[in-house]
Amino acid sequence: MTFRIRGLLTAVVIGVFLFTAACTTTTTMVVPTNTSAIQKMFELAFSDIHEIHLDTINIDALALGGLQGLTLLEPAAELQRKDGAVEFLINESLITKTEAPSANDGVGWAKVVDALIAIGKKSSTKLETADDERIYKAVFSGILKKLDKYSRYAGAKLTRRNREIREGFGGIGVSIKEEAAGARLGKVAQNSPASKAGLQVGDLMTAVDGAAIDGLPLQETVKKLRGLVHKKIRVKIERKSLQEPIVVVMQRIRIMPNTVHYTAKDTVAYVQVTSFNQDTARQLRDTVQRARQELGDKLKGLVLDLRDNPGGLLDQAVDTANLFIVRGRISDTKGRHRDSVQHFSASNGDISQGLPIAVLMNGASASAAEILASALQDNGRAILIGSRSFGKGTVQTVLQLPNEGELILTWARLLAPLGYSLNRLGVLPNICTSNASDVDTVLKTALGGNLKRRQTALSLRRSIRDNDSEKGKAVQASCPWRPRNGLDIDIEVAKEILESGELYERAVVISAPIAGS
């Protein structure tokens, strides 16, 4: 997915009245005397969704959908709106009802949700025994049914994992394997605290900060090794060459998962980008410089493999495109909220100095990967090989919640440099390998004779708007993704083209018109 990070929004608290009923139709007014954690959570969620989601959605629809999510915890529950009130039934018996606030009264609806849950807990053992986090998940499941398929809720535990993927974590730079006596070091990263402290592959770690880890599940040991950046950590190590165990003291640094992987393939630098985190652009810049140094004058071109890349951070997709485009538009984002309208253009120059580039993509290349692919293609800076990409043309913003979880909301559409939406139809390659059986046939079909056929397909794709179903079907059929086993034709086609200046120039012609040049 593609997303950007946004801070915590604030909400204003105002009053609302609640009416409750037992087995009779008599109602009693209950005025909440304080603000609960549940009320605070949904005050914030309702206001955020109403303000910034890509589509305008009334808060009452969100609240009623969320309340209906409680049936995940209590299947006998039923919540309905009737005659200006919200009724809560269990086993078809009315247990309470409340006056419905106005459609977009976020605080009022948060109070209703909180109060109905509190009363429901008194009438249902299943609701009574559910902690706040289970309540949040149930209510958000109902809310999210009113939104798009990419918006989602993450609790505190999942949020921590998400942040580690996006932003890295405090660690010492090792990978470990679980053993009965502790944890065996499988890898020690260069220039990491572990390597500088003398730790070696094969060392047996038996204690962390004085606590033995024998018999501890692998994930528990990992949690002990990770922690605050710059904080010291002590590990006890056993090594066959040492008569006695040693205790090593290190200081954690921020560890960023590696998303860029490089291999030299004859005269071509093959670089796989698996996702986009906060360090991807820097890793790619360093990798290109390394390839130029290692291959020197032999280097004919660069292959960027974005196949199966699900995306990641928006700014990193823009920054990676900016590594190779001298000038021109990279991408636009557009939504309802004023901050969602952004325009990104190249400014830093081309670190590869005009090196021919082939981008590999498939039906699992999505979001940030599609930003990079379309930017390079529309600016005539690279050729695309493979099949039509996934078509996830939206941006999510990450909102921090009071429970240390996060709400990931779709808030903008992604536009390619030439102005077409990336949603649904994705990016169409210059050279389609969907039906490929061998390299020669692909090259002959794509680059032999008149190139107008492929130019026409790209022109059709770029002219389509989301609601144009007939043209969309034609594009979908023109280069579908068909996973294959055996020979990696995409890479072989890329190598052939990059090693031939004439073939590369013909492939670039297919991308015309070129944006920003």
Side-chain angles (χ1 to χ4, degrees), residues 377-378 380 382-383 418 430 455 458 462 507-514:
Q377 184 187 55
D378 283 4
I383 61 170
L418 287 174
N430 301 57
Q455 285 178 315
L458 273 176
R462 289 162 171 166
V508 170
V509 167
I510 297 173
S511 295
I514 299 172

Side-chain angles (χ1 to χ4, degrees), residues 244-315:
E244 298 290 335
I246 58 173
V247 174
V248 180
V249 179
M250 295 163 283
Q251 192 175 64
R252 293 187 184 97
I253 62 170
R254 182 164 299 281
I255 304 293
M256 290 298 301
N258 188 21
T259 61
V260 179
H261 309 274
Y262 159 69
T263 307
K265 292 184 179 289
D266 300 323
T267 61
V268 170
Y270 170 76
V271 181
Q272 183 184 33
V273 182
T274 55
S275 64
F276 292 83
N277 66 17
Q278 284 191 350
D279 203 35
T280 298
R282 184 201 64 78
Q283 290 178 22
L284 185 55
R285 182 191 304 111
D286 293 348
T287 297
V288 172
Q289 292 172 350
R290 174 186 167 191
R292 293 181 65 85
Q293 291 173 356
E294 289 184 1
L295 297 177
D297 294 339
K298 289 172 51 183
L299 184 59
K300 298 294 184 182
L302 172 67
V303 176
L304 289 180
D305 191 347
L306 303 182
R307 293 175 299 182
D308 302 320
N309 183 319
L313 295 175
L314 169 64
D315 62 348

Side-chain angles (χ1 to χ4, degrees), residues 390-421:
F390 182 81
K392 194 267 174 185
T394 55
V395 183
Q396 282 65 47
T397 187
V398 180
L399 302 164
Q400 301 171 13
L401 294 173
N403 68 332
E404 298 186 352
E406 58 189 21
L407 185 59
I408 300 98
L409 283 183
T410 297
W411 82 325
R413 291 182 177 87
L414 282 171
L415 302 181
L418 287 174
Y420 61 94
S421 170

Side-chain angles (χ1 to χ4, degrees), residues 219-236:
Q219 288 304 315
E220 292 300 315
T221 302
V222 169
K223 285 173 63 176
K224 287 180 176 293
L225 292 175
R226 295 181 181 182
L228 295 175
V229 175
H230 305 313
K231 186 174 182 180
K232 290 184 178 180
I233 178 175
R234 293 181 298 115
V235 298
K236 190 175 184 180

